[in-house]
Amino acid sequence: MANIAFIGLGNMGGPMAANLVKAGHKVQGFDLVQASKDAAKADGVSIAASAADAVKNAEIVVTMLPAGKHVLSVWTELVPLVGKNTLMIDCSTIDVESARHAHAHAKEHNLPSVDAPVSGGTVGAKNATLTFMAGGDAKAFADAKPILENMGKKIVHCGEAGAGQAAKICNNMILAISMIGVSEAFALGEKLGLSHQALFDVASTSSGQCWSLTTYCPVPGPVPTSPANNDYKPGFAAALMLKDLRLSQEAAKSAGAATPLGAHAESIYDAFEKAGHGGVDFSGIIKHVRHLAK
Ligand code: NAD
């Protein structure tokens, strides 16, 4: 069992740290928000006075923070402080450039490092069923894998530094585009007098089949567990989807890739958020799509 420092005990990090405790590790945590620290403490995480205190004696440091600037600032502070060979793992969703900078920073201090963003949301974080997509060299990945397995059920090595973040934003760009596509199909079906169930029964067993339809159906009824049946409570909030789309578009720009539908999806989610719906599940975009016709 390992000494693990966990920095960022929010909606995702809190339950992830709790699962490391459950697996038998000694976890020292830190967050800026008192309520997050209190909740983690109740789950068996020892709360340190600062991030620097949390990493004393740590063999592994995990960060789960909002964005690239937070990860770079925390890693810049901690990397020079930690012991030799301490494994640095960042599970936040951040831009590929910042992830590569964080890796480079660790490398300057001869520390192994992995970017390992997740898919699966707060439910996956709580139930230890997250998917991790990891970037880093083979040895660092091999060392990180058993730790990630305590918090998730599928761990994929995507390639070198930053490859985990690249896979994450590509996946979520597909998801945003497919959710808008499914929403447009239901909105058109409604205008054509087609019932939701009839369209679902056909598309879910035809070539229109996809996760946005069969697991996260944006209309109530056909998939009882989808957020549409719960007043579009997240789930995965539209604001987080917009964040990931922005990351995909930044990456597309800097890599010189053409992603016209990704760009359009970003503008659609941007309008949805500006209309005050950032806290709605991202499948609520169907309301925006319907509204466009009026
Ligand atoms: P959150 O805002 O609930 O948690 C982030 C935590 O980081 C906060 O508690 C904040 O106080 C803390 N923090 C910020 N700066 C800090 C610092 N310098 N030192 C210590 N703590 C600091 O966010 P979340 O929902 O837990 O998401 C975390 C990351 O996971 C994000 O990058 C997000 O995009 C990604 N993610 C979230 C979900 C989801 O469904 N919530 C799903 C997949 C990925």
Side-chain angles (χ1 to χ4, degrees):
M1 291 302 120
N3 284 328
I4 302 178
F6 205 112
I7 315 298
L9 302 166
N11 292 325
M12 296 293 289
M16 289 164 72
N19 283 325
L20 292 174
V21 172
K22 270 190 209 151
H25 300 292
K26 191 164 178 293
V27 182
Q28 295 257 35
F30 180 70
D31 196 287
L32 300 175
V33 173
Q34 191 58 42
S36 302
K37 292 194 273 195
D38 292 345
K41 193 174 175 190
D43 286 332
V45 175
S46 308
I47 301 301
S50 64
D53 262 6
V55 301
K56 277 184 190 151
N57 304 319
E59 296 149 276
I60 296 162
V61 176
V62 182
T63 49
M64 190 52 165
L65 299 163
K69 64 179 181 197
H70 306 99
V71 174
L72 283 178
S73 128
V74 168
W75 279 43
T76 302
E77 180 194 355
L78 299 184
V79 156
L81 301 180
V82 300
K84 216 175 143 204
N85 294 328
T86 300
L87 173 61
M88 301 291 300
I89 305 176
D90 177 47
C91 295
S92 329
T93 302
I94 66 171
D95 58 290
V96 176
E97 282 296 297
S98 295
R100 288 183 179 151
H101 276 123
H103 276 278
H105 202 46
K107 200 169 181 183
E108 278 165 24
H109 290 77
N110 293 317
L111 299 176
S113 56
V114 172
D115 56 291
V118 304
S119 168
T122 49
V123 173
K126 191 165 187 294
N127 296 338
T129 54
L130 294 169
T131 295
F132 285 88
M133 32 222 121
D137 66 37
K139 166 86 173 73
F141 174 72
D143 291 344
K145 194 167 180 242
I147 300 300
L148 301 179
E149 278 168 347
N150 295 146
M151 301 182 281
K153 69 169 194 284
K154 183 146 179 72
I155 324 293
V156 183
H157 189 201
C158 300
E160 292 297 320
Q165 298 295 351
K168 166 84 187 175
I169 57 173
C170 288
N171 177 72
N172 279 19
M173 188 175 78
I174 298 173
L175 178 60
I177 293 168
S178 70
M179 183 55 82
I180 294 168
V182 170
S183 296
E184 288 187 3
F186 275 106
L188 173 60
E190 287 164 2
K191 296 272 186 201
L192 297 176
L194 200 54
S195 76
H196 290 160
Q197 193 63 49
L199 176 55
F200 179 84
D201 288 346
V202 171
S204 64
T205 52
S206 303
S207 44
Q209 189 270 121
C210 64
W211 191 93
S212 292
L213 177 71
T214 58
T215 302
Y216 240 61
C217 190
V219 294
V223 179
T225 50
S226 80
N229 298 283
N230 191 23
D231 205 19
Y232 297 95
K233 289 200 178 72
F236 186 51
L240 286 176
M241 175 54 92
L242 178 60
K243 172 193 166 182
D244 293 356
L245 282 167
R246 285 185 178 140
L247 293 177
S248 76
Q249 294 315 293
E250 274 171 33
K253 200 169 165 201
S254 73
T259 56
L261 288 183
H264 200 172
E266 183 194 356
S267 70
I268 289 173
Y269 275 101
D270 186 58
F272 193 53
E273 192 196 44
K274 286 203 171 97
H277 305 304
V280 169
D281 185 77
F282 83 106
S283 61
I285 201 70
I286 190 166
K287 295 182 183 180
H288 181 79
V289 167
R290 286 189 190 113
H291 187 70
L292 291 175
K294 286 175 190 151

